[in-house]
Amino acid sequence: MADFEIDIQSFDIQRTVSVYPDRDGIVWWTKAWFNGRKKGERAIEITRALAIKFIHDDIQKDEWLEEFFPKQMEVLHAALAQTREQVINQYQQTVV
């Protein structure tokens, strides 16, 4: 077990989210980027009130992403679960 080292942070999947208004400040949008990709997900129109809540950290990033980008978050959770299984299997092989 002494030979088994894990950097847990290296297993996290990068996710970035932004909120921004149109030029007139009337229509607000949210956009997300997963896994360091330069091309983000399709922007989704949101209310000004929701944008302000997000800006003020009244809504956590992952909660926001679950709400507006559920399919992408489903893929993220599946990838993390698969990685967790691989780590557990590797650990079990190290212990045996």
Side-chain angles (χ1 to χ4, degrees):
M1 187 164 146
D3 295 337
F4 191 77
E5 295 181 24
I6 300 174
D7 177 8
I8 296 299
Q9 289 183 331
S10 68
F11 292 108
D12 198 10
I13 296 173
Q14 182 183 6
R15 50 208 178 277
T16 305
V17 65
S18 176
V19 296
Y20 57 92
D22 65 359
R23 290 180 192 238
D24 298 325
I26 297 170
V27 179
W28 283 78
W29 302 89
T30 185
K31 189 167 178 73
W33 295 262
F34 290 88
N35 209 19
R37 292 189 176 143
K38 291 186 186 233
K39 182 179 179 187
E41 301 298 322
R42 179 181 59 84
I44 297 173
E45 187 174 338
I46 58 172
T47 66
R48 180 178 181 273
L50 280 174
I52 291 169
K53 280 185 172 186
F54 183 77
I55 291 167
H56 289 290
D57 290 328
D58 293 338
I59 302 173
Q60 297 298 313
K61 178 172 68 175
D62 282 346
E63 180 183 351
W64 185 269
L65 291 168
E66 292 283 355
E67 175 71 24
F68 294 104
F69 302 95
K71 290 180 183 176
Q72 295 85 341
M73 288 299 283
E74 188 176 311
V75 170
L76 179 135
H77 291 305
L80 291 175
Q82 182 180 13
T83 301
R84 185 173 25 256
E85 276 298 313
Q86 290 172 349
V87 169
I88 290 169
N89 288 340
Q90 183 181 359
Y91 173 73
Q92 289 172 340
Q93 289 174 1
T94 303
V95 173
V96 173

